[in-house]
Structure formats: structure tokens, C-alpha cells
Amino acid sequence: MHKTFIVGNKSFVLDQAKAEEAFAAKRVINGRETMTFNLLPLKYQWAYELYRKMKANHWEPEDIPMGKDIEQWRDAKTVTDIERWIIRMGIGYFSAAEGIVGDNIQHVVRELVTAPELKLVLGRHAHEENIHADSLLYMISSLGINPHECEAMFEDVQTIVRKNEFVTRISRDLRRDLDLTRPENKRLLAKNIFVFGQCMEGTQFYGLFGMILSLYRQNKFPGIGQMFRYTLRDESNHIEVFRNLFMDLVEENRDIWTAEFKEELRSTMAEAVQLEKDFIRDCLPVNAVGLAVDEFLQYIDYIADRRLEGVGLGLLAPGVKNPLPWLAEMMDIKKEQNFFEGRVTEYQKASSLEGAHDDDL
Ligand code: FE
Ligand code: MN
């Protein structure tokens, strides 16, 4: 018996019995370990689809002109020292944070999951963190910022150190041979995936994203703003990769999904929110970019609850409205199709031509 499998606009004829066996052996964890990267038959469709979507959003830092940014950086009349501080802070924080995310994917999550299509999308995810790191290098060199100054920020600013420690401890715990048949270890991995996707990339990145995009909205540092918008679009997909991964891991391992564990994750998000709010109060001159601190903090509550909602957990601040709708608009992935111009759109076109029948299947 043969069966035709459709992947995007490609079709494959597989021996049905073998395909069913291979399909059954695919698991988020504790599945068949193989070096042969057997993508067929696809079990986690979402992973392949997100891989394609992420690839279609490809961008290269050097395609974005930095001339205006360099001009503004040197001109004391156009931008203030506080605005320069925000840019330095953004570059400093993300230079290290993007590295931590990429490192966790490569040394923890991609190592521990077993289905090849999950490894495929995680490889792309890690590559996008490399692009983000590279874009920060481009900003540093264009503006002539001292890189050590940025590094020092990450090590010396206490509210950043605490944000950093919050994520690295859940990554460090998993860097050893881990028996993933044990529920406590499954929970450790699930928590890692939740912390990195929903708490860090999904919530704690948004304080600085908001600051830089509010400068961009005032036509300040357009090149940097553009790169951060591309980065944000990527982050939306990263949050989605980790959300799906988390949901499937839980689905396949119902034994870990106890009331106690749910509460642990919810309070972990509460801690992430607190750390982000401390960081905003301590470091971000919100008023200087024309925003109100209370609204900005409320935005963090709002975003965190969207993440909790996404993975089926109880909210922390039910009923909180989005106080910064313009920011949501800039970040809303669905509206970004016409939003991005130039090179990135060209990549999208090329890729959507190639996968023209994706939607029919
Ligand atoms: Fe990133
Ligand atoms: Mn990311």
C-alpha cells in the first residue's frame, strides 16, 4: 500500500506501513533518535510551515541604510543624550540577550527534541538570532559605539543582571544528560521552553522594543528602528515556535500538566513581569520619549497575559487593556505584509512564488 503525502506544493509517495511507523515514532521528546533527518512524513505541520514563513522573512542588516542614523547620532540638536542612552541600552541588552536565546536553542532545546521537523525550525530560529546579533554589530560599527560599553551595561546594571539570571538558570539546569522519561525533567524542559518563548522573547523584550519604536515613530534613528521592526517580526515567529512546541510537549506528556505545575509557570511569568517593570523603572526614561510610565508598565501586563492565554494558563491581570495601540500595530504580524518595504518584501515575493500552492493544501 502506498500513500501520497503533501508537503507545501510538493507531493511524495510513501509506503504506507513504513510511513505510519515513522509517524508514530515521532515525538517532541523521547521519539526516534536518528541522524538521517527523516522529515517525511511530517507530523508537526506547524513546524514546517513556520520554517517556511521565517525563511520568507529573511533580511540582511547591511541592506538597511544607516546614513540618517549616523547623522542624527552626531548632531546634538536633533537627538538628546537621553535618546542616545536608550539606543546604547537597546544595543547593549539585545547584544547579550539574543546570544543567550540562540545558545539555549542550540545547546538545550534542539538537543533534546527528537522530531526532525522540530529541529529544522529550531535551526532557522537559531540562525535568526545570529542575524539579530549581526544587526547589532552593524549598529555598533555604524555609530562608532565602544562595544565594551555595551557589554559593561549588561554586567553592571543590576536590573539587567537579574533579568539575565532569571533565564540563564533555567538553561544551565538542562545542560547535561537528562533522563526525559522522568516527569520532573520533562517539566524542567517545558519550563525552559515557556521561559524563553513566552517570558523572555515574548514579554521581557518588549520594554526596550517599545522604547526604540517610539523613537522610530518620531523619525529618530530610522535605520535602527527598521532593524528592530524586522527583529520584532522574527520574534513574533519565535514566540509562536516555542508556543507550539510547548503545547505539543504538554499534549504528549499529560502527566506533567498538573495544577501545581500550571501555577508554577504562572508565577514564573509574574516574576518575569516584575523583573521587566523593575528594569523599566530603573533604566528606561519613558517620559523622555513622550510616553507615560504607567501606560508603559500596563503594556507589559497586557503582553504577558496574551502569552499566558496563548498556552492555556490563567491571566495575571485580567481585563487589562492595551494602553499603547500604536505599538501593537507596529508589532502586529498580520498587518506587516504591506508594512515592510524594499528588500524584505522581495524575499517574500520570491518565496511565496515558490510556495504558491501552500494555501490550497
Ligand atoms: Fe532575536
Ligand atoms: Mn528570538
Side-chain angles (χ1 to χ4, degrees), residues 83-350:
E83 289 164 341
R84 274 188 207 87
W85 156 261
I86 293 167
I87 295 294
R88 270 204 194 87
M89 183 61 99
I91 294 174
Y93 172 70
F94 284 111
S95 293
E98 303 281 18
I100 292 173
V101 174
D103 184 80
N104 185 66
I105 295 163
Q106 304 205 51
H107 297 292
V108 177
V109 184
R110 196 181 180 283
E111 281 288 298
L112 294 175
V113 303
T114 52
E117 57 268 40
L118 300 177
K119 290 181 184 282
L120 177 82
V121 75
L122 288 166
R124 175 68 207 186
H125 185 165
H127 180 59
E128 289 184 1
E129 301 309 346
N130 290 340
I131 296 172
H132 299 169
D134 193 27
S135 77
L136 294 156
L137 281 188
Y138 179 50
M139 296 177 211
I140 289 173
S141 74
S142 302
L143 300 180
I145 293 172
N146 177 350
H148 301 296
E149 231 175 83
C150 289
E151 265 169 52
M153 232 167 218
F154 206 79
E155 285 153 17
D156 300 341
V157 178
Q158 277 314 300
T159 49
I160 293 188
V161 171
R162 285 200 291 276
K163 273 173 75 169
N164 177 14
E165 171 53 26
F166 170 75
V167 290
T168 50
R169 70 173 180 243
I170 182 74
S171 188
R172 224 178 283 123
D173 285 354
L174 286 124
R175 281 158 207 253
R176 54 193 155 85
D177 275 332
L178 206 63
D179 177 1
L180 281 174
T181 61
R182 300 172 72 99
E184 65 269 30
N185 289 340
K186 291 180 190 176
R187 282 194 194 99
L188 270 183
L189 177 62
K191 189 175 173 182
N192 174 292
I193 292 169
F194 174 77
V195 164
F196 274 86
Q198 309 311 312
C199 301
M200 188 194 197
E201 294 189 285
T203 303
Q204 295 187 321
F205 275 16
Y206 282 73
L208 271 164
F209 277 153
M211 294 297 283
I212 288 167
L213 288 186
S214 68
L215 289 178
Y216 178 80
R217 202 161 71 126
Q218 300 166 34
N219 298 315
K220 286 169 182 162
F221 304 111
I224 290 175
Q226 182 85 327
M227 279 188 258
F228 272 95
R229 283 162 86 194
Y230 291 158
T231 298
L232 254 164
R233 182 174 58 171
D234 295 340
E235 297 307 341
S236 307
N237 290 327
H238 299 173
I239 295 162
E240 197 52 17
V241 168
F242 269 42
R243 191 185 73 81
N244 279 292
L245 198 55
F246 178 87
M247 299 300 271
D248 280 347
L249 177 61
V250 167
E251 189 56 43
E252 291 177 8
N253 299 276
R254 296 302 292 183
D255 54 326
I256 67 171
W257 202 230
T258 58
E260 203 186 0
F261 186 51
K262 287 184 207 174
E263 198 40 47
E264 182 187 337
L265 295 179
R266 198 166 155 266
S267 62
T268 301
M269 179 58 98
E271 189 186 349
V273 167
Q274 193 53 53
L275 289 169
E276 187 59 10
K277 287 181 174 177
D278 291 347
F279 167 66
I280 290 168
R281 282 199 205 90
D282 181 43
C283 289
L284 301 187
V286 176
N287 296 321
V289 296
L291 300 174
V293 179
D294 287 349
E295 284 186 346
F296 207 72
L297 298 178
Q298 192 185 318
Y299 182 72
I300 301 301
D301 285 326
Y302 172 78
I303 274 282
D305 273 359
R306 300 291 74 73
R307 305 308 175 217
L308 289 170
E309 210 166 41
V311 294
L313 290 170
L315 307 185
L316 290 166
V320 160
K321 299 261 182 314
N322 180 2
L324 308 172
W326 64 267
L327 196 49
E329 198 137 316
M330 266 196 186
M331 292 177 182
D332 187 352
I333 195 76
K334 287 173 219 84
K335 291 187 183 153
E336 281 170 21
Q337 241 118 39
N338 316 316
F339 199 77
F340 289 88
E341 300 131 26
R343 190 66 177 271
V344 172
T345 312
E346 282 167 35
Y347 285 124
Q348 274 204 338
K349 273 186 203 142

Side-chain angles (χ1 to χ4, degrees), residues 21-59:
E21 194 190 336
F23 190 90
K26 282 192 178 183
R27 312 270 297 164
V28 176
I29 53 170
N30 304 317
R32 179 181 167 219
E33 296 279 1
T34 167
M35 289 166 76
T36 54
F37 217 62
N38 52 326
L39 288 165
L40 296 174
L42 277 185
K43 180 170 185 179
Y44 304 95
Q45 282 285 344
W46 62 262
Y48 186 75
E49 278 157 22
L50 270 167
Y51 164 76
R52 302 274 300 189
K53 188 175 175 191
M54 288 158 82
K55 195 164 65 87
N57 286 344
H58 188 78
W59 61 285

